[in-house]
C-alpha cells in the first residue's frame, strides 16, 4: 500500500491551517487505525482521516471505503521536503505497520512567513447575505507564555484569499495583554491572554480564514496607516476619521459635537441645558435630589483612552453625581473607516433606591440642524413626522416601541441625518423578581429635540408623583450606534433611509466567528485531563 500526495494547500474554511492532502492506495480492504503520525521524525497530532469525504473520529480508515484520505497539518513552503511515517494498526494485529512516504511541497501559497513560528486560525462567516467591508472584529487569544515575547510587536493578522489561497497582512491593533504563570502542571501552563482587533472584508454568504501569527521575538511593532486622528487634552478630546469629527466635552468626556465630513460646517450638538452635551445618559432622578446624568460628571476619576490604527476607545465609569447608589460606565468606540460611533453603557444599582426616573439611550440636539424624525416600527414599516407638529414639552411628543431597529433625526430640506442603530438592551436582577423596564422610547421637544429610553419613568405620566422602587443588585446594559448619513431631499415619500437600514442590518448580525484553532503543543497530554473537582466524578462512565 502507498500514501499518495494529492496536493499541498493553504488554509481553507474547512481546514483552516496549512496542510497536505494524501490518499491511501493499494491498501487491503480492512479497517486501519492511524495510531501515530511522524513528520521528519517528530510526532504530529494535527491530522485527520476521511472515508469517502466524511472525517472519522477516532482516526480509522474503514473497510469498504472507496476513498481513504489523510489531512496533515504542515507549515510548508514551496520546495520543502517532508518525510512522513504512519503507524497503521489493523484489528487483531500484534503491532502496527509503518507506512513511509516522502513529499515535496509544490503549492504556490505556502506558509506566510517562517520568521513567525506559530499561528492561530479563525474562520469568519458572513450569514446575512451582505458583503462586509472593513468590518471590525475583536478576538481574545490565550497563548502559551513561552511562545511570544512582545504581543504588540509580534502579532500579525493575515487573511487568506478563499479563491487563490494567497495570504495578505491586514491592519490590526493589539490593545491588551496579561500573563498568568502561577505554576506549571498537567492542568495549567503559563499563559498570555491577548486582545486584538482588525478590519475584515468578507463577501456575502462566504467564509474566510484569518490567521493570527506570533512567535517572532525579533519583530518590530508595525506602523499601519489609518484615518483615525486623536487630538486634544484631558477629557476634551477630538476623534476624527474619514466620516466625522467627534468632540468630547472638556469636563465630562461625553459626546458634545458630531461634525460629519459629508457636510462641511454642519455641527450636530445641543449646547443648551446642563453642560450642553449631545449624549447625556445614563440619568437618574430621585427627589429630593436633583436630576443628574453621566454628562454631569466633572472630571470623572475613572477615565481611560485606548488608541491605535483600528479604533479609539474612550472609557469612563463612576457613580452618577450625587447618587452613590448608582454606578455607571460608558464606552465610546470610534473605528477606522467606519461611519458609526458605538456607545455602550452599564447601570449598576448597588443599593435600594426609589426613583421617579431612570433613563438611558439619549440623543439631545438643538433645533438648528434637523426638524424631522424617522423610525422603523416593529411592524417593519418606516414612519416619519415633522417634530414640531407633535405635542410640545412638558408633554411627550410621541412614544415608539423600544424594540425599533433604528431611528433618526433628519432635515427633509437639506438631506442631512443623524441616526441611531438600536443594537442591544438587557438587564439582570440578582434579587427580588424579574427585571423591569419601560417598553418604549420617547421623543420630546421644547427648546431642543431629544429622544431617550426610559427604564423607570413616571415623570411625564398622568400620575407623575409616583416614586418606584429599584432593587439593589439590578444592572442594565445598552449598546447603540450614532450614525451620521445622508438622505434624499424632498417630501416624505421621496426620502430614502436605506443607508441606515443597511447599517443596522450589518451591525445587528456581525460576522460569525469560530473558536481559535492551534497546533497541538508537545506539553499537551495524550489522554483527557480531568478537572480539579471538590469530589470524585467519573465523566467517562455512562
Amino acid at each position: 500500500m502507498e500514501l499518495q500526495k494529492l496536493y499541498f494547500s493553504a488554509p481553507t474554511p474547512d481546514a483552516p491551517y496549512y496542510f497536505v492532502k494524501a490518499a491511501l492506495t493499494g491498501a487491503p480492504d480492512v479497517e486501519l487505525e492511524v495510531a501515530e503520525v511522524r513528520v521528519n521524525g517528530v510526532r504530529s497530532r494535527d491530522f485527520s482521516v476521511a472515508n469517502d469525504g466524511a472525517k472519522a473520529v477516532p482516526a480509522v480508515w474503514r473497510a469498504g471505503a472507496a476513498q481513504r484520505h489523510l489531512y496533515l497539518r504542515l507549515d510548508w513552503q514551496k520546495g520543502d521536503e517532508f518525510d512522513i511515517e504512519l503507524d497503521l494498526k489493523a484489528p487483531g494485529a500484534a503491532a502496527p505497520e509503518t507506512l513511509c512516504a516522502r513529499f515535496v511541497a509544490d503549492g504556490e501559497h505556502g506558509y506566510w512567513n517562517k520568521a513567525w513560528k506559530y499561528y492561530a486560525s479563525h474562520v469568519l462567516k458572513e450569514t446575512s447575505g451582505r458583503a462586509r467591508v472593513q468590518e471590525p472584529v475583536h478576538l481574545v487569544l490565550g497563548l502559551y507564555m513561552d511562545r511570544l515575547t512582545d504581543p504588540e510587536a509580534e502579532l500579525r493578522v493575515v487573511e487568506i484569499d478563499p479563491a487563490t489561497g494567497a495570504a495578505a497582512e491586514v491592519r490590526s491593533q493589539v490593545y491588551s495583554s496579561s500573563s498568568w504563570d502561577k505554576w506549571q502542571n498537567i492542568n495549567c501552563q503559563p499563559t498570555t491572554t491577548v486582545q486584538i482587533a482588525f478590519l475584515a472584508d468578507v463577501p456575502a454568504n462566504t467564509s474566510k480564514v484569518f490567521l493570527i501569527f506570533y512567535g517572532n521575538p525579533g519583530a518590530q511593532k508595525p506602523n499601519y496607516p489609518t484615518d483615525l486622528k486623536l487630538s486634544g487634552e484631558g477629557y476634551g478630546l477630538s476623534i476624527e476619521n474619514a466620516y466625522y469629527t467627534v468632540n468630547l466635552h472638556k469636563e465630562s468626556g461625553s459626546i458634545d459635537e458630531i461634525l460629519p465630513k459629508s457636510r462641511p460646517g454642519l455641527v450636530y450638538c445641543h449646547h443648551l441645558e446642563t453642560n450642553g452635551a449631545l449624549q447625556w445618559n445614563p440619568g437618574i432622578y430621585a427627589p429630593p435630589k436633583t436630576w443628574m446624568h453621566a454628562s454631569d460628571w466633572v472630571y470623572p476619576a475613572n477615565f481611560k483612552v485606548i488608541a491605535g490604527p483600528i479604533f479609539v476607545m474612550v472609557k469612563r465609569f463612576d457613580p452618577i453625581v450625587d447618587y452613590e447608589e448608582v454606578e455607571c460606565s460608558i464606552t465610546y468606540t470610534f473605528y477606522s473607516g467606519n461611519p458609526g460611533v458605538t456607545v455602550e453603557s452599564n447601570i449598576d444599582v448597588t443599593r435600594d433606591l426609589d426613583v421617579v426616573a431612570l433613563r438611558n439611550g439619549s440623543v439631545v440636539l438643538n433645533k438648528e440642524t434637523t426638524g424631522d424624525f424617522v423610525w422603523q416600527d416593529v411592524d417593519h414599516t418606516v414612519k416619519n413626522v415633522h417634530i414640531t407638529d407633535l405635542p410640545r414639552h412638558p408633554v411627550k411628543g410621541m412614544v415608539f416601541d423600544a424594540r425599533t431597529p433604528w431611528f433618526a433625526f433628519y432635515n427633509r430640506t437639506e438631506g442631512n441625518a443623524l441616526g441611531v442603530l438600536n443594537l442591544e438592551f438587557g438587564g439582570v436582577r440578582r434579587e427580588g423578581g424579574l427585571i423591569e423596564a419601560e417598553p418604549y422610547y420617547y421623543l420630546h421637544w421644547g427648546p431642543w429635540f431629544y429622544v431617550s429610553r426610559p427604564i423607570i419613568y413616571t415623570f411625564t405620566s398622568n400620575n407623575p408623583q409616583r416614586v418606584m422602587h429599584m432593587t439593589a443588585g439590578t444592572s442594565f446594559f445598552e449598546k447603540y450606534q450614532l450614525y451620521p448619513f445622508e438622505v434624499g431631499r424632498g417630501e416624505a415619500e421621496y426620502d430614502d433611509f436605506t443607508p441606515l437600514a443597511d447599517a443596522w442590518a450589518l451591525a445587528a448580525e456581525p460576522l460569525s466567528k469560530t473558536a481559535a484553532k492551534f497546533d497541538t503543543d508537545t506539553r499537551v497530554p495524550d489522554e483527557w485531563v480531568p478537572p480539579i473537582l471538590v469530589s470524585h466524578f467519573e465523566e467517562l462512565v455512562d
Side-chain angles (χ1 to χ4, degrees):
M1 57 183 170
E2 181 183 5
L3 191 64
Q4 179 184 2
K5 180 195 72 178
L6 297 179
Y7 57 81
F8 280 81
S9 177
T12 70
D14 291 330
Y17 41 80
Y18 295 95
F19 68 95
V20 63
K21 181 179 180 181
L24 182 68
T25 62
D29 192 21
V30 296
E31 182 179 283
L32 293 170
E33 176 190 355
V34 183
E36 185 170 301
V37 177
R38 294 177 294 279
V39 178
N40 295 337
V42 178
R43 183 187 176 206
S44 171
R45 286 183 280 175
D46 296 317
F47 68 90
S48 63
V49 304
N51 298 286
D52 296 330
K55 291 188 177 181
V57 180
V60 174
W61 280 315
R62 60 177 175 79
Q67 294 180 324
R68 293 188 265 190
H69 290 144
L70 171 74
Y71 295 84
L72 175 60
R73 177 173 176 149
L74 290 176
D75 295 340
W76 63 270
Q77 289 181 332
K78 190 172 184 177
D80 288 348
E81 298 182 357
F82 299 96
D83 290 317
I84 298 171
E85 298 174 299
L86 272 65
D87 289 346
L88 305 179
K89 189 172 183 180
E97 179 180 352
T98 299
L99 180 63
C100 300
R102 187 177 184 81
F103 292 165
V104 179
D106 54 3
E108 293 299 325
H109 298 293
Y111 197 87
W112 171 68
N113 190 325
K114 287 290 183 73
W116 277 261
K117 294 177 63 176
Y118 313 106
Y119 64 90
S121 305
H122 277 276
V123 179
L124 301 184
K125 184 177 182 180
E126 204 295 310
T127 57
S128 73
R130 298 170 182 267
R132 306 305 172 108
V133 179
Q134 297 291 277
E135 177 165 317
V137 176
H138 291 256
L139 300 176
V140 180
L141 298 171
L143 310 175
Y144 284 129
M145 199 169 75
D146 58 8
R147 283 186 164 201
L148 78 165
T149 304
D150 182 350
E152 285 194 62
E154 291 181 46
L155 265 66
R156 298 291 187 276
V157 177
V158 171
E159 66 176 2
I160 304 297
D161 188 310
T164 67
E169 183 177 347
V170 300
R171 296 184 299 150
S172 62
Q173 178 177 337
V174 176
Y175 58 98
S176 175
S177 66
S178 62
S179 294
W180 177 92
D181 62 351
K182 301 297 183 183
W183 67 80
Q184 299 183 41
N185 65 12
I186 198 171
N187 293 97
C188 301
Q189 290 286 312
T191 303
T192 297
T193 300
V194 178
Q195 292 180 290
I196 187 169
F198 59 95
L199 303 173
D201 293 341
V202 181
N205 299 314
T206 66
S207 297
K208 183 185 280 190
V209 177
F210 289 80
L211 308 178
I212 295 83
F213 283 87
Y214 59 104
N216 179 2
Q220 299 296 310
K221 183 178 179 179
N223 183 21
Y224 294 117
T226 183
D227 61 338
L228 282 170
K229 297 178 182 178
L230 176 65
S231 59
E233 296 180 355
Y235 298 78
L237 301 174
S238 292
I239 302 94
E240 180 181 352
N241 70 8
Y243 292 92
Y244 56 69
T245 298
V246 174
N247 296 322
L248 305 184
H249 192 275
K250 64 181 181 180
E251 292 183 347
S252 69
S254 293
I255 292 176
D256 193 48
E257 299 176 333
I258 299 176
L259 291 70
K261 294 286 184 71
S262 61
R263 292 294 181 111
L266 177 67
V267 180
Y268 292 114
C269 61
H270 166 222
H271 293 175
L272 294 173
E273 244 185 303
T274 65
N275 66 10
L278 180 151
Q279 192 271 318
W280 284 10
N281 288 335
I284 188 168
Y285 178 38
K289 293 183 179 181
T290 57
W291 206 322
M292 301 299 289
H293 316 83
S295 61
D296 294 310
W297 279 330
V298 177
Y299 312 130
N302 299 292
F303 179 81
K304 183 177 182 180
V305 179
I306 301 170
I310 305 303
F311 67 85
V312 172
M313 182 178 289
V314 179
K315 304 181 76 71
R316 299 170 296 152
F317 66 94
D318 253 349
I320 292 181
V321 178
D322 293 337
Y323 287 92
E324 63 279 0
E325 307 94 336
V326 181
E327 296 181 352
C328 75
S329 67
I330 303 175
T331 299
Y332 299 142
T333 310
F334 311 86
Y335 288 102
S336 170
N338 192 303
V341 178
T342 302
V343 180
E344 296 176 276
S345 64
N346 280 85
I347 300 172
D348 295 306
V349 181
T350 60
R351 282 182 268 172
D352 285 1
L353 186 64
D354 298 286
V355 304
V356 170
L358 180 64
R359 301 183 303 176
N360 211 354
S362 64
V363 178
V364 190
L365 298 176
N366 62 37
K367 295 159 67 174
E368 297 175 2
T369 55
T370 65
D372 301 282
F373 189 80
V374 62
W375 72 104
Q376 180 179 303
D377 211 339
V378 290
D379 63 3
H380 305 292
T381 60
V382 176
K383 300 175 181 177
N384 50 27
V385 295
H386 190 65
I387 298 172
T388 56
D389 291 341
L390 301 171
R392 191 185 190 280
H393 173 75
V395 180
K396 290 191 190 82
M398 58 171 273
V399 300
F400 55 100
D401 198 300
R403 299 169 298 165
T404 188
W406 54 262
F407 53 88
F409 293 93
Y410 74 107
N411 188 316
R412 185 172 296 164
T413 303
E414 298 298 325
N416 60 281
L418 178 62
V420 174
L421 310 180
N422 181 19
L423 299 176
E424 295 180 42
F425 179 79
V428 61
R429 172 162 285 169
R430 295 163 183 83
E431 297 181 18
L434 297 177
I435 199 73
E436 305 125 6
E438 297 286 0
Y440 64 89
Y441 280 101
Y442 71 95
L443 174 65
H444 213 56
W445 77 275
W448 25 242
F449 301 141
Y450 80 80
V451 69
S452 186
R453 178 199 295 275
I455 297 171
I456 290 177
Y457 197 54
T458 67
F459 182 68
T460 58
S461 71
N462 62 336
N463 293 291
Q465 287 79 21
R466 292 173 298 145
V467 182
M468 297 180 63
H469 187 67
M470 181 57 66
T471 304
T474 301
S475 298
F476 298 94
F477 171 77
E478 182 177 63
K479 178 179 180 180
Y480 62 90
Q481 277 191 15
L482 297 168
Y483 195 91
F485 68 108
E486 298 289 316
V487 297
R489 304 182 187 189
E491 297 303 319
E493 58 267 31
Y494 300 111
D495 294 338
D496 180 10
F497 299 97
T498 302
L500 192 59
D502 287 345
W504 179 85
L506 292 171
E509 189 175 338
L511 289 165
S512 173
K513 298 180 287 191
T514 63
K517 189 171 185 63
F518 300 89
D519 61 300
T520 305
D521 193 273
T522 56
R523 74 195 86 188
V524 178
D526 283 302
E527 301 299 326
W528 178 72
V529 179
I532 302 170
L533 299 174
V534 174
S535 59
H536 177 73
F537 178 71
E538 181 52 74
E539 298 189 34
L540 299 182
V541 176
D542 293 332

